[in-house]
Amino acid sequence: MNPTYEPTDVESEWYAKWEEAGLFRPEYRPEGEPFAVVIPPPNVTGALHMGHALNHTIHDVIIRRKRMQGFAALWLPGTDHAGIATQNVVERELAVEGMDRHELGRDEFVRQVWEWKRVYGDRITKQIRRMGASCDWTRERFTLDDGLSAAVREVFVRLYEEGLIYRGNRIIHWCPRCETALAEIEVEYRDQKGTLTHIFYPFSDGDGGVTVATTRPETMLGDTGVAVHPDDDRYTNLIGRKVRLPIVGREIPIVADDVVDPEFGTGAVKVTPAHDPNDFEIGERHDLEKIAVLDAKAVVTAAGGRFQGLDRFEARAAVIEALEAEGAIVATEEHQHNVGHCYRCDTVVEPFLSDQWFVAVAALAGPAMDAVRNGDNRFVPERWEKTYFHWMENIRDWTISRQIWWGHRIPAWYCPDGHVTVARTEPSTCDECGSADVVQDSDVLDTWFSSALWPFSTLGWPDQTEDLERFYPNAILITGFDIIFFWVARMMLMGIHFMDDVPFHDTIIHGLVRDAEGNKMSKSRGNTLDPLEVAEEHGADPLRLALIQAANPGQDVPLNMEWVEGTRKFGNKLWNGTRFVLRSVEPGSVPADGGYPEQPGEIDAWILSRLRAVSERFDELCDQYRFSDAFGLLYSFTWSEVFDWYLEMSKGALAGEGTAAATRQTLGVVIRDVIKLFHPAIPFLTEELWMNVVGDGFVAGANWPEVPEYRGPDEMEDLQELISGVRRFRAEQGISPRTDLVLRVHGGEGVPHWASRLLTDLAAVTVEAIASPPTEGHTRIVAGRFQGFIPLEGVIDTDAERERLSKRIAAAQQDLDRVEKKLGNSSFIDKAPAEIVEKERGKQRELSDVIAKVQAQLDLL
């Protein structure tokens, strides 16, 4: 082995070897219980970001551990065609060449997108491999591949036949930049300052009129009514009268509708049925005309008269100017309101009247909620169930058609008479009238429609494949809280409806990766970290370990690069610890399983008992998805107990005639099992170490540790405290480790020979067992059942030591007085949170204990 750990050298070759050996396929454990998870498919346009790195590390820790535990583990990878995002990328490239998609035509444009996908589409999958993700690439899927496309069409047709998919002319969210419909959850709302404009609408049959308030005065060009609440006394006598629309001249009625909020503005609202969802509903109830004054690009139409051709924001200024010239503006005021933006391009969205396809999802929501209520699916942490239920209980019909070209084209055809034929294969004639002149709908489906089918479509549905039978439902889903609506809920809707079972049993929600100060990572802040750059500089394994050590469910990860540097140092510690073991253990001689000593010495039995206890607790924590706690425990055990204590203890045992063989055997199995336990988080490094320690097969395909039960000596913890006490005394007094000291030990049932030897080896002391404690001239070390006394004559300046101990007591007493004053304040006790009061009481106990111990040492002088 090289003298130092170099991650980039270690990580360069193992992935290809794992793939070649078929380790990532469930067939590697053909008799194992199935355990499947699908990757949240990244966009084909994407590059790996730190959120991916966290998500994939959690996936990989789970799937590698399950594989080692004997499961037929499948982590199914793939990518999403990302309709709007991918089309935007290719359109930008065309724009650089002075072209647009309409010049190319649909077929040629789609061909060019496929070519772009062929050239760049595997970029992110290469990055996923670089980070060590153990996906079964032989089963890789793409949401537009033939099999998934067949599944999408089958689902669409079935839902249509069941009356759950329909086409309707309704107000939808529209992005004028992308020129496509958006679903409700694809709109991101932000508080913005706007202006509330009060406009006077005069009666058409006499003096007076009504004042309405609006944040979008340009849409008044399409007003076909004014609405008031039926119980609003200010307006009850005006219901049924007509007003004249300023600058337009159109007569429009005043109607009464319960949806109007009397507290908003003047209590009278303009009604624009073609440009507001509430107004659309009012218009339906009162048979008001729908006049579209903005087109698909948010430009004023001919219906807008003299404002035709103006952009919506230009039109807003022009309309206000015209209203002012007519004297119709009563007042203006600043107004804070929520404004919707396109989740892809950040353009302000428009409510737009359009023919679109919808899924009536309310009919599917009941079973999806029941599945969580009855425990068929559970959220980890449980608090995210509230978010899920809130959305499900307030679910609205899902707009699934998109006015773009890249995606699953809607399987609906129209004849000249307007009849619709929905079919699994392209029809030759209209189902209703038999016309041979049928044209397919030009829209494509929302990207999330195909993503909603991902857990079963990737396994071969609608065909009844072996994979579908074996791996559905998936065991778990791991995702961020930000796509519970976009993805998790929709997979539940579709999975239960088409498979009659939940798509996964556990939904594990992780937080966001933030910067060290807790800020969200974003390009605008300049605080993003590229995981590939971090991996090249520090190694993928150190980054993975840093992420997983912070990854408890639902908690954000404030990633500090010092963590990555720390885990890199730990990797070096593991490397050097293994090198130490291999000085005593023949490289490649440790068995892949078993090999535990039958008659271990005391120190060997101690470390083996600790290995068993830690591995059992580690498994409990992993099964609860508490990876931060699990790997924190393992990290601490390996660094402190294995390396700092046991490796030091083993040096004396290796030199002994009766203990060397058992200690060599113990060293081998302990380092092997530590390698196994760490493998899911740091796969590259552990595979390299496995090659040197075991030399046979792969740790990626090895069995999970099953440590036999051992009883370690009860005195070990107390002996460690004695050793630490002696070392602390040396450090405080500046005494060299090479200077012999006498340690007189009292307590317990005496000091066994092995313990005496351990104290001599690790503390450089001559041990004397004493029947009663001395009364003066010693410093005392309290260690559980033992008390250790070091005679001070000729070792230290006792006067200086008295002074040091007295100062320590005085400082502790000062702190104690401060704490007791606070605890004596009834106002603090009554008003402070209980945990703060208890913390102060803990300080009180701790300081009192310190004073008592140091005073005892002082008395001994």
Side-chain angles (χ1 to χ4, degrees):
M1 293 176 66
N2 291 332
T4 57
Y5 164 52
E6 296 294 341
T8 49
D9 294 343
V10 169
E11 294 172 4
S12 60
E13 297 179 3
W14 283 114
Y15 200 93
K17 292 178 180 178
W18 290 328
E19 277 199 274
E20 186 180 346
L23 289 170
F24 301 161
R25 305 192 69 216
E27 289 80 5
Y28 184 77
R29 301 276 195 179
E31 304 304 318
E33 181 183 341
F35 184 96
V37 58
V38 291
I39 201 168
N43 289 352
V44 71
T45 58
L48 205 71
H49 56 65
M50 204 54 83
H52 290 127
L54 171 64
N55 181 275
H56 296 170
T57 298
I58 297 171
H59 272 93
D60 207 33
V61 163
I62 292 173
I63 208 75
R64 284 181 182 269
R65 176 170 167 264
K66 289 295 181 182
R67 193 178 289 126
M68 294 173 74
Q69 288 177 324
F71 287 82
L74 169 62
W75 182 10
L76 196 150
T79 49
D80 194 296
H81 66 279
I84 295 174
T86 307
Q87 178 154 319
N88 283 347
V89 168
V90 178
E91 285 196 82
R92 280 197 296 270
E93 291 188 0
L94 288 174
V96 171
E97 300 171 15
M99 301 173 63
D100 66 34
R101 63 183 168 112
H102 298 287
E103 292 176 53
L104 284 179
R106 183 174 194 137
D107 291 345
E108 178 58 22
F109 176 77
V110 170
R111 189 195 67 77
Q112 290 208 17
V113 181
W114 274 108
E115 178 62 18
W116 184 94
K117 191 263 180 189
R118 187 188 66 79
V119 175
Y120 298 106
D122 63 349
R123 174 179 56 183
I124 197 163
T125 59
K126 288 177 180 175
Q127 293 172 339
I128 292 170
R129 284 177 163 93
R130 172 65 186 89
M131 292 301 296
S134 59
C135 303
D136 181 0
W137 296 102
T138 67
R139 286 174 165 87
E140 182 182 2
R141 305 306 298 266
F142 177 53
T143 50
L144 272 180
D145 69 28
D146 290 343
L148 269 64
S149 295
V152 166
R153 185 167 286 195
E154 181 66 26
V155 165
F156 186 97
V157 173
R158 284 198 202 178
L159 290 176
Y160 179 79
E161 290 170 348
E162 293 168 12
L164 296 176
I165 279 183
Y166 65 92
R167 193 165 189 258
N169 185 252
R170 306 213 354 221
I171 291 281
I172 48 88
H173 297 289
W174 182 268
C175 175
R177 155 65 184 80
C178 300
E179 289 191 56
T180 185
L182 299 173
E184 172 70 31
I185 59 173
E186 293 173 317
V187 179
E188 295 178 349
Y189 290 93
R190 293 200 291 273
D191 255 7
Q192 286 185 198
K193 274 186 181 178
T195 301
L196 195 61
T197 304
H198 296 255
I199 309 170
F200 183 72
Y201 285 24
F203 292 127
S204 57
D205 58 355
D207 294 337
V210 175
T211 299
V212 301
T214 180
T215 57
R216 303 173 66 221
E218 70 279 6
T219 63
M220 61 88 61
L221 302 172
D223 284 2
T224 56
V226 171
V228 297
H229 195 278
D231 299 329
D232 191 336
D233 293 338
R234 294 171 294 175
Y235 300 113
T236 49
N237 63 327
L238 303 181
I239 296 167
R241 291 189 68 177
K242 292 188 176 181
V243 294
R244 181 179 56 80
L245 192 59
I247 70 175
V248 175
R250 184 165 56 246
E251 283 192 355
I252 58 176
I254 299 174
V255 299
D257 200 282
D258 289 331
V259 79
V260 177
D261 177 6
E263 303 300 317
F264 177 76
T266 65
V269 296
K270 55 190 283 307
V271 181
T272 320
H275 294 284
D276 183 274
N278 289 330
D279 292 3
F280 177 84
E281 299 297 336
I282 294 173
E284 289 287 284
R285 286 191 287 270
H286 299 279
D287 198 26
L288 300 179
E289 186 182 0
K290 303 175 186 70
I291 301 174
V293 294
L294 294 174
D295 66 13
K297 294 180 182 290
V299 171
V300 178
T301 66
R306 55 179 152 148
F307 303 99
Q308 182 179 2
L310 293 180
D311 169 80
R312 55 183 164 165
F313 299 120
E314 296 171 341
R316 181 173 299 175
V319 166
I320 289 173
E321 186 179 343
L323 289 168
E324 286 174 337
E326 196 172 292
I329 291 185
V330 176
T332 59
E333 59 181 291
E334 276 194 2
H335 179 67
Q336 199 79 10
H337 62 141
N338 256 343
V339 178
H341 294 72
C342 174
Y343 81 114
R344 279 295 174 200
C345 68
D346 207 39
T347 300
V348 174
V349 301
E350 279 291 329
F352 191 65
L353 184 61
S354 176
D355 288 325
Q356 301 290 340
W357 289 89
F358 300 87
V359 179
V361 284
L364 307 176
M369 288 189 283
D370 291 342
V372 175
R373 290 192 183 103
N374 65 27
D376 291 339
N377 175 278
R378 66 175 184 136
F379 278 79
V380 182
E382 187 178 352
R383 68 177 184 270
W384 290 107
E385 287 183 6
K386 292 180 181 177
T387 304
Y388 173 82
F389 285 132
H390 177 76
W391 189 73
M392 285 292 196
E393 287 162 358
N394 295 278
I395 202 164
R396 299 171 70 173
D397 285 2
W398 174 14
T399 314
I400 55 171
S401 44
R402 297 292 180 270
Q403 287 65 49
I404 58 176
W405 290 349
W406 174 246
H408 296 99
R409 198 161 173 183
I410 288 176
W413 288 261
Y414 306 95
C415 73
D417 291 335
H419 302 141
V420 181
T421 300
V422 171
R424 293 168 177 80
T425 57
E426 184 171 357
S428 56
T429 59
C430 172
D431 278 355
E432 192 163 336
C433 67
S435 170
D437 184 9
V438 288
V439 178
Q440 188 172 2
D441 196 309
S442 60
D443 291 353
V444 301
L445 287 164
D446 178 8
T447 295
W448 294 100
F449 190 91
S450 52
S451 300
L453 319 182
W454 190 248
F456 57 93
S457 64
T458 52
L459 296 172
W461 188 92
D463 294 336
Q464 297 304 304
T465 64
E466 289 184 19
D467 275 2
L468 186 65
E469 183 178 351
R470 191 171 191 202
F471 295 114
Y472 190 93
N474 293 173
I476 55 173
L477 175 81
I478 308 165
T479 190
F481 64 82
D482 50 335
I483 55 174
I484 291 175
F485 312 134
F486 280 106
W487 196 40
V488 177
R490 287 168 170 171
M491 285 190 288
M492 289 287 287
L493 296 172
M494 295 298 188
I496 293 170
H497 188 71
F498 287 98
M499 296 296 297
D500 199 29
D501 202 347
V502 293
F504 29 80
H505 293 299
D506 285 355
T507 305
I508 305 161
I509 304 296
H510 60 72
L512 300 176
V513 182
R514 298 182 178 272
D515 68 13
E517 283 71 47
N519 298 312
K520 186 174 180 179
M521 289 188 178
S522 67
K523 290 178 181 177
S524 60
R525 287 180 184 269
N527 63 349
T528 58
L529 289 171
D530 183 333
L532 275 301
E533 290 180 5
V534 175
E536 289 309 309
E537 183 176 353
H538 298 278
D541 278 345
L543 174 57
R544 287 168 57 112
L545 187 54
L547 289 169
I548 205 68
Q549 282 189 308
N552 272 343
Q555 295 179 358
D556 287 347
V557 178
L559 183 63
N560 191 323
M561 282 307 298
E562 290 179 4
W563 297 0
V564 183
E565 291 161 7
T567 50
R568 162 76 181 264
K569 289 175 183 174
F570 175 79
N572 204 53
K573 184 88 170 176
L574 189 55
W575 183 273
N576 288 332
T578 304
R579 289 179 69 227
F580 173 86
V581 169
L582 293 178
R583 291 177 197 159
S584 305
V585 176
E586 183 69 24
S589 67
V590 179
D593 296 299
Y596 302 97
E598 293 182 4
Q599 294 183 315
E602 287 82 2
I603 64 166
D604 304 323
W606 166 73
I607 196 63
L608 288 165
S609 69
R610 291 295 301 132
L611 176 64
R612 177 182 170 90
V614 167
S615 62
E616 287 180 342
R617 181 58 180 154
F618 179 82
D619 280 336
E620 288 173 4
L621 292 168
C622 284
D623 287 342
Q624 296 166 19
Y625 309 115
R626 291 169 56 189
F627 301 113
S628 175
D629 297 335
F631 282 93
L633 169 74
L634 185 58
Y635 187 105
S636 176
F637 166 72
T638 303
W639 190 297
S640 177
E641 297 185 65
V642 176
F643 293 154
D644 287 356
W645 281 108
Y646 180 66
L647 294 194
E648 287 299 311
M649 293 176 182
S650 71
K651 292 174 183 176
L654 289 168
E657 291 184 9
T659 55
T663 298
R664 271 194 294 273
Q665 196 174 359
T666 303
L667 280 167
V669 296
V670 167
I671 201 68
R672 178 202 66 199
D673 285 359
V674 165
I675 288 168
K676 285 184 176 185
L677 291 167
F678 265 113
H679 174 74
I682 46 176
F684 297 107
L685 171 57
T686 50
E687 198 66 79
E688 186 79 13
L689 297 179
W690 178 271
M691 179 185 69
N692 287 278
V693 172
V694 177
D696 180 39
F698 298 90
V699 67
N703 295 319
W704 196 244
E706 292 185 9
V707 186
E709 190 168 350
Y710 288 94
R711 174 75 184 270
D714 296 335
E715 306 93 335
M716 184 59 77
E717 190 174 335
D718 299 341
L719 291 170
Q720 288 173 304
E721 186 56 41
L722 271 180
I723 294 164
S724 296
V726 173
R727 289 173 173 174
R728 202 160 42 241
F729 173 74
R730 287 182 185 276
E732 290 168 353
Q733 301 301 329
I735 300 171
S736 167
R738 288 188 290 275
T739 300
D740 288 334
L741 296 175
V742 173
L743 180 66
R744 293 169 177 159
V745 181
H746 172 263
E749 298 178 3
V751 183
H753 174 70
W754 69 270
S756 178
R757 189 184 65 205
L758 189 66
L759 289 166
T760 299
D761 289 345
L762 270 64
V765 293
T766 300
V767 179
E768 297 178 0
I770 55 175
S772 58
T775 56
E776 61 180 22
H778 291 72
T779 189
R780 183 177 70 154
I781 302 165
V782 178
R785 75 198 69 204
F786 297 121
Q787 292 185 77
F789 300 90
I790 300 174
L792 300 177
E793 186 176 354
V795 175
I796 65 167
D797 181 338
T798 53
D799 290 337
E801 178 66 358
R802 283 192 189 94
E803 184 178 355
R804 186 185 74 82
L805 294 175
S806 297
K807 285 181 179 177
R808 190 174 172 193
I809 291 170
Q813 186 63 52
Q814 194 174 19
D815 290 341
L816 180 61
D817 291 344
R818 210 165 23 240
V819 170
E820 289 183 335
K821 183 179 179 181
K822 189 181 286 188
L823 289 172
N825 184 339
S826 59
S827 178
F828 170 75
I829 297 295
D830 294 339
K831 294 179 180 178
E835 61 269 20
I836 299 297
V837 174
E838 184 53 40
K839 187 177 180 181
E840 291 300 311
R841 286 180 176 145
K843 286 182 188 176
Q844 182 186 37
R845 290 190 292 270
E846 185 180 328
L847 287 165
S848 299
D849 191 42
V850 167
I851 291 169
K853 286 182 178 179
V854 178
Q855 184 62 53
Q857 286 183 261
L858 186 58
D859 293 344
L860 276 170
L861 291 175

